Amino acid sequence: MKTKRAVIIQCRLSSSRLKEKALLKTGGKTILEMAMQAMHKVRADRYFVATDEKSFLQLKDIVLKNGFEIFAGDLNNVLDRFCKLIKKIKVDTVIRATADNPFLIYEAASESADEFEKLNKSGTPCEYFTYTGLPHGSGVEIFNAGSLLLAQKLTDSPYDKEHVGPALYNHQDKFKCVFKKAPSRFRYPDLRTTVDTYSDYLRAVCAYNFLTKDKEQNEPFDCEQIIKAFSSKEVLNPLIYIPSVQKGHGTGHLRRVLNASVNEGSFVYIPKNYSLEQTDELLQEAFDKGLRPSQIIDELPDETLNAVYVTDNFKTSKEKFEALSQSKCIISIDEGSDFKDCSDYLLDIIPSSQENKNVNCFNSSLIEKPENIRKKSSGTIKNVLICFGGEDPLKLTQAVKQLVQNVLPDSRIEYIEKPVKNLKEKLYLYDLVITHYGLTAFEAVYAKCAVILLCPSKLHEILAEKYDFAYIPFNHITQNNFEAALKSERIFCKNIIKPQKNQLKSFVKTICRGTKNYCPVCRNNNIFDRVVFRNESRTFRKCSSCGLIYFSYSLEKEKTYEKAYFFEDYKKQYGKTYEEDFDSIKKQGLKRSSVIKKLCRTKEKNLLDIGCAYGPFLSASYDNGFVPFGTDICEPAVKYVKTKLGYPACTSSFPDIDTDKQFGISKFDVCTMWYVIEHFKDLDSVLNKVNSILRLHGIFAFSTPSGSGISSKLNTQSFFTNSPSDHYSIWLPFKANMVLKKYGFKVIKIVSTGHHPERFAFIKCKKNGFIWKCLDKISRLFKLGDTVEIYCRKVKQI
């Protein structure tokens, strides 16, 4: 009996890049099962999995269980495998899919098959059909079975034999092949849904978890669900926690990230060579709360996953930071290593010993508070808990137990030698908790227990003293010191209690939505560039190659340069709109254009002002004898320049502008940028473009905030905090020539501007008073202005 339509899923288990990937589970189902369930939604007479002899026995039961038939053929000659199956079932139309695609869009497959048959019925021959532009891994191929049998006879290509479809579409002189642009609802060519590598597999797990967050789904995912998942931040940039599981570091790091991962799509990395004996109960506790086994991974993906890494590692090594450097970003919690500058964002939760530790955010309210709180203490200590992180690497438990027995002979003593399930909610049962500085100490305080810290190092002693704990000093575990701690008022620590405002998981979600930037000039992802400033929403670094200070990580939204930017936003900062400030800006422009005029060597003075805004510098340069042209991305501003001022201008982004097309000029005598250069994320392409449109010996001039001004030196925190969120670079004037030389320019004049004597914070003075005037002279003499004008000449064509 002849078969009209057959769905054939190609499957093998011998993949070298990801072994037996078809049998890997994304959730409760294998990748092959997901592919079969999706393709069962496509109308066909028979459904097959075409595999090889070696994989047959492993696949047979799962294939039959899902309502498919199974056929075995050659391992490497997949074309022959298909052709033998075609001959066996005498099929007309084959709908081909592959088993490494768990997110096949069955609606697109159905429409493809219908369109293929419709074309042939209408008299338009079609032997191969596929939609183009689907997510990579979500598409299928439709072909005529007889045509494939003919193609097999005509090809000797190993590639054609391994991949089936190319036997037809690589020979379009013999076969009619149609590649049709997919309908818009299916067309997302930038998304990747296939599973070819380990990183792909983790992405698929993340997508599955995203789609089944509320409940499992028995039906295959439809197109809308698939596109939604693979377009989401959770899937595009999966979150991977890397806790410390090193013996001696306690279990608090792992416990914290497991709690943060429950009911989320994030992963927790526990290395293959790590024994889970110490953490079985912690893992089981997390699984009971909703963590999925697929969220525990023992291998880190490559850079193609573009993951967000969260290290909770005590001290992360230089090698580990290097291994994570190609990620979307690195967030570190309570990082204590010498390489913490490698992290894009530093979050401290447990208070540290360093008063001025350079972190983005300190927030002890992120410690998860216990729900069970003790009632008012009776003052009698009956129940004592001794807990040193579930490991007790220094073997302190027995020594402390003896002390308690001597001093409190009637008390009931419990001690912990391994992780305890949900310990946080059991602390309230104890009158006294004896532990060391760390998560358990804070949880015990929040549970309103009496707490005594044992200090196994001098650092622990410093921390205990600083945060007002009762403690037994370093190397002095004696009965007298224990009795003194019991009598101390600090046994009920009061100074650290803060109300809970945030959960760690939601806080980390906010952080990982930030934007990572590279040095605008060098474009290098150098995680070893020195961090010069951090605050709750920003991280600034200094490029080790060119010396430029740049905005390396930001949680703030990018600005758009529309009319509001020059009016409402400008007025908020300067007290008047850009248009109201036109004359003042033009006055500055007259000074600048006069400087440029003296530096010019040519009589013709065509000038392009990049980022011309509403044209005050164009007007000033015209008054100084230049022929001005302007460009800006703000259409209302350009319209104003053309209609009100009457100067040639165009709406165009830089460096994309074609000046020859816009103005009929390929080379200018002068190019200027006034407070514009800092707005570019990619200065490499910008400066290359300026060189290409400037005549040899022409002048390039720009102004920008200075990283060497009085504000950056004496009011560093305010300077970086108030730096606009769209300023991606801060120039150091003495480094400018080194940067610009690379692009064929030589700095010939630097003018320090924006002098503010009142910003000499350590000296109080009245504006225009004697001291103020003296400070103004000092500021000008030592070039301490908060802004700078840099004038350079093009000396080389690049």
Side-chain angles (χ1 to χ4, degrees):
M1 182 177 176
K2 187 145 183 157
T3 304
K4 289 188 175 181
R5 271 192 186 189
V7 166
I8 303 178
I9 297 177
Q10 177 182 321
C11 180
R12 67 185 175 103
L13 298 178
S14 56
S15 172
S16 58
R17 280 185 288 188
L18 189 59
K19 190 177 179 182
E20 299 187 351
K21 58 186 175 183
L23 296 181
L24 293 175
K25 289 189 175 183
T26 54
K29 304 171 188 174
T30 64
I31 289 172
L32 175 58
E33 283 179 293
M34 291 180 68
M36 287 190 288
Q37 289 177 7
M39 293 309 292
H40 239 315
K41 300 282 281 187
V42 181
R43 179 176 57 83
D45 301 298
R46 298 181 78 175
Y47 299 85
F48 276 90
V49 169
T51 188
D52 59 274
E53 300 284 358
K54 193 173 180 180
S55 304
F56 180 84
L57 289 177
Q58 280 183 269
L59 295 176
K60 182 180 176 182
D61 289 346
I62 193 172
V63 169
L64 297 178
K65 181 182 175 182
N66 282 274
F68 270 63
E69 300 174 73
I70 187 166
F71 176 84
D74 192 278
L75 171 63
N76 297 313
N77 193 338
V78 186
L79 178 59
D80 181 68
R81 193 193 307 170
F82 266 70
C83 288
K84 283 181 178 175
L85 177 56
I86 285 168
K87 289 174 184 176
K88 179 181 178 180
I89 63 176
K90 299 181 177 61
V91 66
D92 287 337
T93 300
V94 173
I95 305 165
R96 175 185 172 269
T98 56
D100 52 4
N101 295 332
F103 294 97
L104 291 161
I105 298 178
Y106 61 80
E107 300 100 319
S110 294
E111 289 187 24
S112 296
D114 291 345
E115 196 152 351
F116 172 82
E117 292 177 348
K118 185 178 178 182
L119 282 171
N120 282 298
K121 285 179 182 177
S122 68
T124 304
C126 178
E127 293 165 285
Y128 173 95
F129 182 94
T130 191
Y131 276 144
T132 63
L134 270 73
H136 181 58
S138 290
V140 301
E141 297 172 307
I142 320 294
F143 52 78
N144 180 281
S147 299
L148 192 70
L149 294 176
L150 176 59
Q152 184 189 26
K153 294 178 182 179
L154 297 176
T155 184
D156 291 320
S157 166
Y159 186 84
D160 289 354
K161 292 177 181 179
E162 185 182 354
H163 294 90
V164 185
L168 294 167
Y169 63 71
N170 278 351
H171 307 278
Q172 295 191 42
D173 57 326
K174 299 180 180 69
F175 302 101
K176 178 65 176 175
C177 301
V178 175
F179 293 84
K180 185 173 180 180
K181 188 176 181 181
S184 58
R185 66 185 182 282
F186 304 141
R187 196 167 61 250
Y188 291 87
D190 294 333
L191 300 184
R192 181 178 175 86
T193 60
T194 191
V195 175
D196 196 34
T197 66
Y198 181 64
S199 290
D200 290 335
Y201 168 62
L202 292 187
R203 188 182 296 109
V205 170
C206 217
Y208 184 90
N209 289 342
F210 176 88
L211 291 167
T212 59
K213 189 178 293 185
D214 298 324
K215 62 178 181 179
E216 290 287 338
Q217 180 172 318
N218 293 322
E219 286 293 304
F221 302 115
D222 60 30
C223 177
E224 186 178 347
Q225 289 175 304
I226 292 168
I227 299 305
K228 182 180 179 181
F230 282 89
S231 301
S232 69
K233 290 280 188 184
E234 290 93 328
V235 177
L236 289 173
N237 306 118
L239 193 61
I240 301 177
Y241 286 96
I242 304 180
S244 173
V245 289
Q246 184 177 334
K247 193 167 181 62
H249 287 178
T251 55
H253 304 278
L254 179 59
R255 184 152 55 99
R256 180 158 62 182
V257 302
L258 287 173
N259 286 339
S261 300
V262 171
N263 298 323
E264 296 293 326
S266 51
F267 297 103
V268 178
Y269 169 66
I270 300 176
K272 289 179 182 177
N273 58 356
Y274 179 69
S275 171
L276 294 180
E277 285 183 20
Q278 294 292 325
T279 58
D280 280 346
E281 291 197 34
L282 287 180
L283 285 170
Q284 190 56 54
E285 180 184 337
F287 293 148
D288 291 344
K289 289 180 180 178
L291 188 78
R292 299 181 179 190
S294 62
Q295 291 178 255
I296 304 298
I297 61 174
D298 59 12
E299 181 183 346
L300 290 176
D302 62 23
E303 67 277 3
T304 60
L305 190 63
N306 202 26
V308 173
Y309 288 104
V310 181
T311 67
D312 190 350
N313 234 352
F314 188 63
K315 288 186 178 182
T316 306
S317 68
K318 179 181 179 181
E319 292 72 25
K320 177 64 74 177
F321 273 125
E322 284 179 324
L324 307 180
S325 63
Q326 298 302 316
S327 59
K328 180 183 182 288
C329 71
I330 304 171
I331 300 165
S332 296
I333 301 174
D334 292 327
E335 181 59 57
S337 81
D338 293 335
F339 306 102
K340 55 182 174 288
D341 269 9
C342 296
S343 183
D344 296 298
Y345 195 98
L346 287 176
L347 169 63
D348 267 12
I349 298 175
I350 303 292
S352 75
S353 62
Q354 301 172 41
E355 291 285 355
N356 298 312
K357 189 177 177 184
N358 188 17
V359 299
N360 292 90
C361 178
F362 166 65
N363 190 346
S364 64
S365 74
L366 292 175
I367 297 172
E368 193 174 345
K369 312 301 187 295
E371 292 180 10
N372 293 324
I373 307 295
R374 286 176 57 79
K375 295 178 181 178
K376 190 175 180 180
S377 173
S378 63
T380 304
I381 296 177
K382 295 180 179 180
N383 298 303
V384 179
L385 176 68
I386 303 171
C387 174
F388 295 109
E391 287 182 303
D392 192 13
L394 298 178
K395 309 300 180 186
L396 299 170
T397 301
Q398 289 303 320
V400 175
K401 182 182 177 184
Q402 189 61 53
L403 283 180
V404 177
Q405 287 176 336
N406 292 341
V407 177
L408 301 170
D410 297 328
S411 64
R412 184 172 64 88
I413 304 168
E414 290 186 38
Y415 54 92
I416 293 175
E417 294 182 303
K418 63 179 183 177
V420 173
K421 184 177 179 181
N422 207 15
L423 173 64
K424 169 171 60 76
E425 297 303 337
K426 298 174 182 177
L427 293 172
Y428 81 103
L429 298 171
Y430 302 96
D431 303 299
L432 171 65
V433 175
I434 303 173
T435 184
H436 54 50
Y437 187 86
L439 196 60
T440 299
F442 283 83
E443 290 172 344
V445 170
Y446 295 140
K448 297 189 177 179
C449 304
V451 177
I452 293 177
L453 299 188
L454 192 95
C455 301
S457 72
K458 192 65 180 175
L459 174 61
H460 284 77
E461 188 176 325
I462 292 169
L463 288 164
E465 183 71 39
K466 180 176 179 179
Y467 294 104
D468 212 27
F469 281 96
Y471 67 93
I472 300 173
F474 172 59
N475 274 349
H476 290 82
I477 306 174
T478 66
Q479 185 168 320
N480 286 339
N481 284 331
F482 178 55
E483 289 175 344
L486 279 173
K487 295 174 183 177
S488 171
E489 291 183 1
R490 301 198 298 184
I491 197 168
F492 289 99
C493 183
K494 299 175 183 177
N495 290 352
I496 61 170
I497 299 177
K498 293 184 179 181
Q500 183 174 358
K501 296 179 181 177
N502 304 290
Q503 284 188 321
L504 180 60
K505 64 178 77 175
S506 59
F507 196 84
V508 169
K509 264 189 175 182
T510 300
I511 297 170
C512 69
R513 292 192 188 109
T515 304
K516 183 175 183 175
N517 301 307
Y518 305 131
C519 171
V521 170
C522 302
R523 307 301 295 153
N524 292 329
N525 177 22
N526 190 348
I527 61 171
F528 296 106
D529 282 350
R530 182 172 65 87
V531 170
V532 296
F533 180 76
R534 295 182 186 272
N535 71 7
E536 199 158 332
S537 60
R538 304 174 172 195
T539 300
F540 288 87
R541 296 181 185 271
K542 183 178 180 181
C543 179
S544 55
S545 297
C546 71
L548 203 68
I549 295 173
Y550 63 97
F551 214 161
S552 68
Y553 198 71
S554 172
L555 303 184
E556 296 166 290
K557 288 184 178 180
E558 293 190 14
K559 287 186 179 179
T560 55
Y561 302 103
E562 302 297 335
K563 190 173 181 179
Y565 178 82
F566 297 100
F567 285 82
E568 289 90 343
D569 294 354
Y570 190 93
K571 190 169 185 177
K572 285 177 186 176
Q573 188 169 358
Y574 299 107
K576 57 179 80 172
T577 66
Y578 193 92
E579 194 173 8
E580 290 168 344
D581 208 19
F582 187 95
D583 290 340
S584 175
I585 301 171
K586 180 178 177 179
K587 187 177 179 181
Q588 293 174 332
L590 287 168
K591 291 179 182 178
R592 292 167 181 159
S593 56
S594 296
V595 173
I596 295 171
K597 190 174 182 179
K598 292 176 183 177
L599 299 174
C600 279
R601 293 180 179 177
T602 58
K603 291 183 179 179
E604 295 180 13
K605 295 186 180 66
N606 286 335
L607 179 150
L608 178 65
D609 188 25
I610 300 158
C612 65
Y614 281 75
F617 182 74
L618 295 176
S619 180
S621 61
Y622 178 81
D623 290 352
N624 256 323
F626 290 93
V627 180
F629 298 83
T631 179
D632 202 285
I633 59 174
C634 178
E635 194 170 340
V638 170
K639 184 178 179 181
Y640 182 90
V641 168
K642 290 164 72 175
T643 58
K644 293 286 183 73
L645 302 182
Y647 302 126
C650 68
T651 305
S652 178
S653 60
F654 198 87
D656 301 327
I657 186 173
D658 184 340
T659 58
D660 204 3
K661 182 179 178 180
Q662 294 289 348
F663 305 121
I665 301 173
S666 58
K667 298 284 185 182
F668 290 85
D669 302 294
V670 180
C671 284
T672 59
M673 294 181 188
W674 306 113
Y675 299 110
V676 171
I677 201 165
E678 64 273 9
H679 294 269
F680 291 107
K681 284 186 179 181
D682 180 5
L683 277 177
D684 181 61
S685 60
V686 167
L687 293 172
N688 274 314
K689 179 72 172 185
V690 173
N691 180 284
S692 71
I693 63 174
L694 194 62
R695 293 185 191 278
L696 191 62
H697 306 305
I699 300 298
F700 172 43
F702 64 92
S703 61
T704 188
S706 170
S708 299
I710 192 65
S711 291
S712 68
K713 291 180 181 293
L714 298 183
N715 305 291
T716 305
Q717 183 168 348
S718 175
F719 175 78
F720 285 108
T721 299
N722 294 325
S723 180
S725 61
D726 55 345
H727 285 197
Y728 298 104
S729 62
I730 297 173
W731 288 67
L732 301 172
F734 62 93
K735 292 276 189 179
N737 197 54
M738 185 176 77
V739 174
L740 294 164
K741 184 180 179 181
K742 176 183 173 182
Y743 299 96
F745 300 109
K746 181 180 179 181
V747 174
I748 51 179
K749 189 177 182 67
I750 294 179
V751 180
S752 177
T753 54
H755 296 278
H756 300 282
E758 68 276 10
R759 292 179 186 169
F760 283 79
F762 55 90
I763 300 176
K764 293 183 179 180
C765 60
K766 293 182 179 179
K767 192 170 183 179
N768 296 319
F770 175 75
I771 296 176
W772 190 95
K773 290 176 181 179
C774 290
L775 293 175
D776 185 58
K777 287 183 179 181
I778 291 170
S779 180
R780 294 176 190 279
L781 178 64
F782 291 99
K783 298 182 178 179
L784 296 175
D786 284 339
T787 53
V788 65
E789 295 169 8
I790 298 173
Y791 300 84
C792 50
R793 191 184 307 282
K794 177 179 170 179
V795 294
K796 182 181 176 182
Q797 184 71 43
I798 58 171

